[in-house]
Structure formats: structure tokens, C-alpha cells
Amino acid sequence: MLSRIPKWMGDLFEGLLRPNAKIVQTSCVSPQIKKIRFQGDISKMNFQIGYANVIRVSETEYRNYTVAYHDSEEGIFDIIFHLHGNGVGSRYTDTLEKNDVLYISPPRGKNLYEPDVRQQFIFGDETSLGLACSFLPILKQNQHQFQFYFELDEENQNVPELLGLQNFTVFPKNGSFRNEKWISDLPLFKTPEWKSASFVLIGNVKSVQTFRKVVRSNTSGKITTQGYWLEGKKGL
Ligand SMILES: Cc1cc2nc3c(=O)[nH]c(=O)nc-3n(C[C@H](O)[C@H](O)[C@H](O)COP(=O)(O)OP(=O)(O)OC[C@H]3O[C@@H](n4cnc5c(N)ncnc54)[C@H](O)[C@@H]3O)c2cc1C
């Protein structure tokens, strides 16, 4: 789906795009990280690890967000929003409160889970915390060896723990993941058993691209990437 559609087209599809989800709870995990629980008819939705839902954030703009947790019987689902303050989506989700209603599309996209690979590595930032939360139960259930690396702003350093994530390492968001030499010195690349892991690299486009180059030249693992945002670019 496009991140922006003309108003006349939005009006044409108004019936299809009308609010279908109601907010039942909001909580601030940090000043920048807001978790929202929605209620709606999700009985026919197909949730896969890595799929994203499009949220209507203004009359003409749509943005991608990941369902972190869902319970189809109860009709509830959670999304974890990064309130970075730079865009219409961030500002809109910052204002959302209990009982608000909005349009959220069914999930679609790229399945990021490789069930046949024992070692699973996931890299991301604040925008990837929801994906990590959706990944964790299946990684544990299928007894994978797994680790998460997150690059996070200072105020979000304790968020993975507050969200109940496990086997994670938090790095400051200081440009290190733009430095190939620094990345190649990470402990991940020093352990032979991780050479054939599944590498899921998501979040900031530049960090993802740099990390991908290092994984490619240091391992024979399967690499899946998806840029979630890029400096100066609206609505990836
Ligand atoms: C498949 C997929 C799943 C995603 N899941 C989530 C999710 O679960 N939670 C979540 O919070 N985000 C998620 N994102 C990222 C989110 O869609 C983008 O961050 C989006 O750009 C936010 O829209 P916006 O209107 O706030 O900013 P935009 O209007 O898109 O961008 C305006 C400015 O803000 C900057 N910007 C955008 N995002 C960030 C950021 N995170 N940090 C700092 N600056 C930023 C842009 O570079 C640009 O300069 C996902 C993206 C994809 C593609």
C-alpha cells in the first residue's frame, strides 16, 4: 500500500477505510515508546512474523506498524510505537487515547521466520521492538538458539527488558552500526556456530545496509532485510 494517497481516492474508498479498531489500553514504556492495545474483528486476519499493518494516520497518509501480540479469540492486538516526533505518524500515534477509533489494515508483507534454522539472529531499533515481541514466543516454543541486538536511544535502553524480551544486547544509537569494521568485531562473528544462522536485519535503512555487508562477508547464513525508516524519507 502507498504511504500517501490523494484525498479524492481516500474519499472514494472511505467506506473501506473507515475506523475498524478501538483502543482499549495505552501505556508508555518510556517517553518515546508507547504500547497500544486495540480491539477489533481480527478473526480473518493472517498474522505472520514480519507482516505489518497499515494505519491511517491522516486523511491522506498511511504508515506501517507491526503487531507485537494478538489474541484472535479475544479480538485484541498490541502495537509498539516509536514516538520520534519527526513525522505525521509519530505525532498522530502520540495523541491516541483509550476509546479512540481508527483504521488499521489487515497484516501483509514479508515472512521473516526461517523455521528450519536453529540459530536465529535479529537486529533492529525502536521500530523493531514489536517484531521482536512477536518473534519471541515462536523462538522459545521451537527451541531455537536466538539473540537480539538493538540500537536504541539512551532513554530507551531499558525498554527491551520492560517488554519482557530475552537474550538481547542493547547498543547506543551512536553511529556504530554504520561502521563495518566495528560491526565485524562484534562477538556474533567470533562464534563458529552462528556462521550459518538466519539473520533478520530490520530498522534504520543505513544500519541495515551496513550490517548486511558485514554478515555477507563473514558468514554463510541466510540474510533477510527490511528497512523500516530512512533519514529524510517519508513513509517507507
Ligand atoms: C514493515 C514495517 C514495519 C514497521 N513496524 C513499526 C512498528 O511496529 N513500530 C514503529 O514505531 N515503527 C514501525 N515501522 C516504521 C514506521 O513505519 C516509520 O518509522 C515511519 O516512517 C513513521 O512514520 P512518520 O509519519 O512518523 O514519519 P515519516 O513521515 O515517514 O518521516 C518523517 C521524518 O521522520 C523520520 N523518521 C521516520 N521514522 C523515524 C524513526 N523511527 N526515528 C527517527 N526518525 C524517523 C524520517 O526519516 C523523516 O525524516 C515499520 C516500518 C515498516 C516498513
Side-chain angles (χ1 to χ4, degrees):
M1 190 167 188
L2 298 170
S3 62
R4 185 182 174 85
I5 63 172
K7 185 173 177 312
W8 66 265
M9 205 185 274
D11 291 345
L12 198 65
F13 291 112
E14 191 60 46
L16 288 175
L17 302 177
R18 64 169 178 255
N20 59 351
K22 181 178 176 179
I23 295 178
V24 291
Q25 197 183 336
T26 69
S27 53
C28 288
V29 191
S30 81
Q32 278 188 6
I33 302 292
K34 183 171 181 180
K35 183 166 153 181
I36 301 185
R37 173 155 293 180
F38 300 90
Q39 189 151 43
D41 181 5
I42 55 170
S43 57
K44 294 192 181 69
M45 291 194 186
N46 175 15
F47 292 93
Q48 303 280 336
I49 306 290
Y51 277 18
N53 301 55
V54 165
I55 297 189
R56 186 177 195 179
V57 295
S58 78
E59 259 194 350
T60 55
E61 311 251 9
Y62 299 80
R63 295 290 183 267
N64 280 296
Y65 295 98
T66 312
V67 166
Y69 167 81
H70 73 279
D71 181 332
S72 298
E73 276 178 24
E74 297 285 327
I76 52 166
F77 58 102
D78 296 346
I79 296 180
I80 298 169
F81 296 95
H82 181 207
L83 308 179
H84 54 85
N86 300 321
V88 60
S90 170
R91 287 191 288 273
Y92 172 71
T93 51
D94 197 4
T95 64
L96 290 173
E97 291 173 0
K98 190 174 172 180
N99 293 327
D100 285 348
V101 290
L102 57 156
Y103 171 75
I104 304 185
S105 79
R108 81 281 176 268
K110 218 187 219 182
N111 189 328
L112 300 176
Y113 176 49
E114 288 286 333
D116 299 332
V117 184
R118 179 160 151 66
Q119 276 85 15
Q120 305 260 337
F121 173 82
I122 297 107
F123 166 76
D125 61 11
E126 283 87 351
T127 61
S128 323
L129 293 164
L131 184 276
C133 289
S134 70
F135 232 132
L136 181 67
I138 201 155
L139 293 173
K140 287 171 68 177
Q141 185 186 318
N142 293 344
Q143 297 178 358
H144 289 284
Q145 199 179 340
F146 62 93
Q147 49 180 323
F148 297 100
Y149 275 12
F150 295 114
E151 60 166 346
L152 299 176
D153 283 328
E154 182 62 36
E155 52 267 60
N156 302 321
Q157 302 271 312
N158 62 347
V159 170
E161 188 173 356
L162 293 172
L163 291 172
L165 288 163
Q166 297 172 9
N167 300 358
F168 58 81
T169 311
V170 173
F171 297 89
K173 204 190 280 173
N174 59 6
S176 296
F177 285 97
R178 314 283 166 94
N179 178 338
E180 289 179 40
K181 167 77 180 76
W182 182 87
I183 298 174
S184 64
D185 286 335
L186 287 167
L188 173 69
F189 298 108
K190 309 290 173 209
T191 332
E193 61 186 350
W194 284 88
K195 296 271 183 210
S196 54
S198 160
F199 293 90
V200 173
L201 314 175
I202 56 173
N204 178 271
V205 169
K206 288 185 183 159
S207 298
V208 165
Q209 287 172 343
T210 315
F211 209 139
R212 182 170 186 264
K213 275 193 206 164
V214 179
V215 176
R216 265 191 130 169
S217 51
N218 286 275
T219 80
S220 58
K222 168 136 178 48
I223 311 168
T224 318
T225 62
Q226 188 160 23
Y228 278 10
W229 68 280
L230 173 64
E231 285 88 351
K233 174 93 173 71
K234 283 187 184 179
L236 274 196

